[in-house]
Amino acid sequence: NLMDVDKHYRRKEYLLFPYFEKANLPGPPTVMWGKHDEVRQLLRLTIEGLQQVATLDAAEAKAYGLMSVLPAIEAVDEMVYKEEKILFPTALNLLTEQEWYQIYLQSDEYGYCLYAPEFAWQPAGGVADQLGKPVAHDDRVQMPTGSFTLAELIGI
């Protein structure tokens, strides 16, 4: 369950961060993506360490397990704080309700961290007719969460 946080980070990285980049606000996503990678590494090290606990006696295992998991817990907690105080307030002002709906529609693809929402949501203003249709602009094809050049699309 520790690595479940990766689903949350991937949803942010691939669904939310492109809107920041599109609005020419790459700072928060760039910093957070780096922090996500640090948390992932701490979690991997924690899991590897906990898998080795079986060779220790009960007292050693308890002490080792607590010591190895604390840095990962602190890093996840720090990320939650940054999301609540910086990222999400900025995103609430930045994204339209239709853009949030696009994120909502694609969220199942990445999964959820520890809890999967069990409700359906539609924007109060309804769903825009052109929602999700690619649009060409400045030699790029704009998709709901980012853009590609024609060569990149062909390559994909």
Side-chain angles (χ1 to χ4, degrees):
N1 288 339
L2 287 173
M3 284 305 290
D4 215 30
V5 75
D6 184 57
K7 296 174 190 173
H8 175 68
Y9 291 169
R10 285 186 294 128
R11 271 200 344 271
K12 284 176 17 187
E13 292 164 354
Y14 297 115
L15 300 180
L16 182 59
F17 290 177
Y19 288 106
F20 278 74
E21 293 168 4
K22 188 167 82 172
N24 203 23
L25 293 171
T30 301
V31 171
M32 283 194 158
W33 204 316
K35 292 294 182 185
H36 291 173
D37 289 342
E38 289 174 18
V39 170
R40 288 178 180 115
Q41 181 62 20
L42 281 171
L43 289 171
R44 277 192 285 281
L45 292 171
T46 298
I47 291 167
E48 289 171 11
L50 291 173
Q51 289 170 340
Q52 296 172 9
V53 168
T55 62
L56 304 174
D57 68 37
E60 291 174 321
K62 184 176 181 182
Y64 180 78
L66 185 59
M67 287 182 355
S68 67
V69 79
L70 279 177
I73 290 171
E74 289 170 354
V76 169
D77 192 47
E78 182 181 316
M79 184 58 63
V80 169
Y81 178 84
K82 289 176 182 176
E83 289 173 357
E84 291 176 351
K85 300 298 181 190
I86 301 167
L87 183 71
F88 293 141
T90 303
L92 285 171
N93 289 323
L94 180 67
L95 276 69
T96 67
E97 190 172 41
Q98 294 297 319
E99 290 168 329
W100 281 114
Y101 187 63
Q102 276 298 306
I103 291 171
Y104 164 78
L105 290 175
Q106 297 173 68
S107 287
D108 285 346
E109 181 179 331
Y110 294 93
Y112 300 92
C113 179
L114 303 177
Y115 165 79
E118 297 178 6
F119 60 87
W121 174 69
Q122 275 198 10
V127 180
D129 290 338
Q130 71 274 36
L131 193 61
K133 294 181 182 174
V135 178
H137 180 69
D138 293 335
D139 295 329
R140 297 185 73 78
V141 177
Q142 183 65 48
M143 305 300 273
T145 57
S147 65
F148 297 94
T149 66
L150 183 57
E152 290 170 334
L153 281 174
I154 290 169
I156 292 172

